[in-house]
């Protein structure tokens, strides 16, 4: 039996803001946001974000949004899985939950940023590209010295796609995997 059984995935609500704040705090190397920022993620960006809940406790969160000037691109902002829920495919399942939503029907590309040394994050997004039978490319974007006052590692821009129309076979492949 998968440990993922019994974990509920759903779009966040405003009421999830505080739990999200605490989860992000417990998931280094993620940057802390203000509580206000988490409230906006849980409301304005709810259609492209997800909460994972086990026994009423938030154990996972992904924030994302559609790029304002490129509505075929879903930008993934942060991915957080509580320590006790890691290693069972929860992050992958949460990401696929967002992509499968009708609100994401126009999504042809996924973008995110990853620091060079975040191996779990690279594995997560490479796995997603593979599940969607598409390519992953990356390029330099946010630079430690130029944009981050030398206070944070450089962030590489990762782009996955094109994601083609979801066929019946992809759907069943996705259901097998997630
Ligand atoms: C990154 C994170 C979200 C992964 O969550 P998860 O639910 O354990 O991830 P999954 O089980 O879906 O695993 C996805 C892939 O990453 C791999 N992976 C997970 N943890 C890993 C680690 N520490 N090192 C290397 N690979 C790892 C898995 O093996 C899997 O690859 P596979 O499909 O080839 O088997 C979680 O470790 C986390 O919250 N880390 C702290 C915050 C962070 O770094 N977030 C990512 C920044 S966007």
């Amino acid at each position: 039996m998968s440990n993922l059984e019994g974990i509920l995935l759903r779009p966040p609500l405003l009421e999830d803001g505080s739990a999200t704040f605490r989860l992000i705090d417990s998931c280094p190397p993620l940057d802390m946001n203000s509580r206000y920022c988490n409230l906006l993620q849980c409301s304005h960006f709810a259609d492209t974000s997800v909460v994972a809940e086990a026994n009423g406790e938030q154990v996972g969160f992904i924030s994302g949004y559609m790029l304002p000037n490129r509505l075929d691109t879903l930008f993934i902002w942060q991915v957080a899985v509580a320590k006790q829920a890691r290693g069972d495919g929860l992050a992958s399942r949460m990401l696929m939950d967002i992509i499968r939503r009708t609100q994401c029907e126009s999504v042809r590309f996924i973008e995110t940023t990853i620091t060079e040394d975040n191996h779990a994050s690279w594995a997560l997004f490479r796995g997603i590209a593979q599940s969607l039978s598409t390519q992953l490319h990356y390029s330099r974007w946010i630079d430690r010295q130029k944009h981050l006052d030398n206070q944070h590692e450089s962030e590489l821009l990762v782009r996955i796609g094109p994601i083609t129309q979801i066929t019946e076979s992809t759907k069943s492949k996705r259901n097998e995997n997630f």
Side-chain angles (χ1 to χ4, degrees):
M1 179 170 123
S2 158
N3 290 330
L4 289 183
E5 278 173 40
I7 295 187
L8 169 77
L9 302 189
R10 59 170 175 79
L13 301 166
L14 196 59
E15 286 68 23
D16 295 308
S18 294
T20 299
F21 182 83
R22 291 192 297 273
L23 178 67
I24 301 284
D25 186 31
S26 72
C27 287
L30 292 182
D31 281 337
M32 289 293 294
N33 305 308
S34 65
R35 284 188 170 76
Y36 187 76
C37 172
N38 288 128
L39 288 169
L40 295 188
Q41 289 174 335
C42 290
S43 51
H44 291 172
F45 299 123
D47 282 351
T48 45
S49 301
V50 65
V51 159
E53 209 171 50
N55 302 318
E57 187 194 345
Q58 191 180 136
V59 292
F61 183 76
I62 294 182
S63 48
Y65 58 88
M66 306 300 282
L67 284 188
N69 55 353
R70 278 193 274 131
L71 293 176
D72 66 350
T73 303
L74 170 70
F75 186 84
I76 298 298
W77 185 344
Q78 285 181 317
V79 184
V81 171
K83 280 200 182 104
Q84 72 272 19
R86 288 182 192 168
D88 275 327
L90 180 56
S92 315
R93 194 178 143 211
M94 289 195 296
L95 197 41
M96 292 305 293
D97 182 84
I98 297 175
I99 295 163
R100 278 201 293 254
R101 292 180 189 164
T102 48
Q103 293 94 329
C104 289
E105 264 170 4
S106 66
V107 170
R108 295 291 168 266
F109 295 92
I110 300 169
E111 290 189 1
T112 193
T113 69
I114 310 182
T115 55
E116 214 160 349
D117 61 354
N118 193 334
H119 303 296
S121 201
W122 283 106
L124 167 65
F125 283 96
R126 284 193 206 283
I128 290 292
Q130 202 175 7
S131 297
L132 295 173
S133 308
T134 192
Q135 308 290 313
L136 179 151
H137 297 285
Y138 62 88
S139 53
R140 307 223 157 263
W141 191 35
I142 298 176
D143 179 74
R144 181 187 174 110
Q145 285 190 352
K146 227 186 202 171
H147 308 116
L148 294 165
D149 282 342
N150 229 2
Q151 299 297 308
H152 185 289
E153 290 306 307
S154 296
E155 296 271 354
L156 295 163
L157 178 64
V158 172
R159 183 167 162 87
I160 292 172
I163 300 166
T164 48
Q165 198 69 29
I166 305 168
T167 61
E168 283 309 309
S169 66
T170 319
K171 267 188 196 161
S172 50
K173 193 170 148 206
R174 285 179 179 190
N175 290 339
E176 276 166 29
N177 290 345
F178 303 100

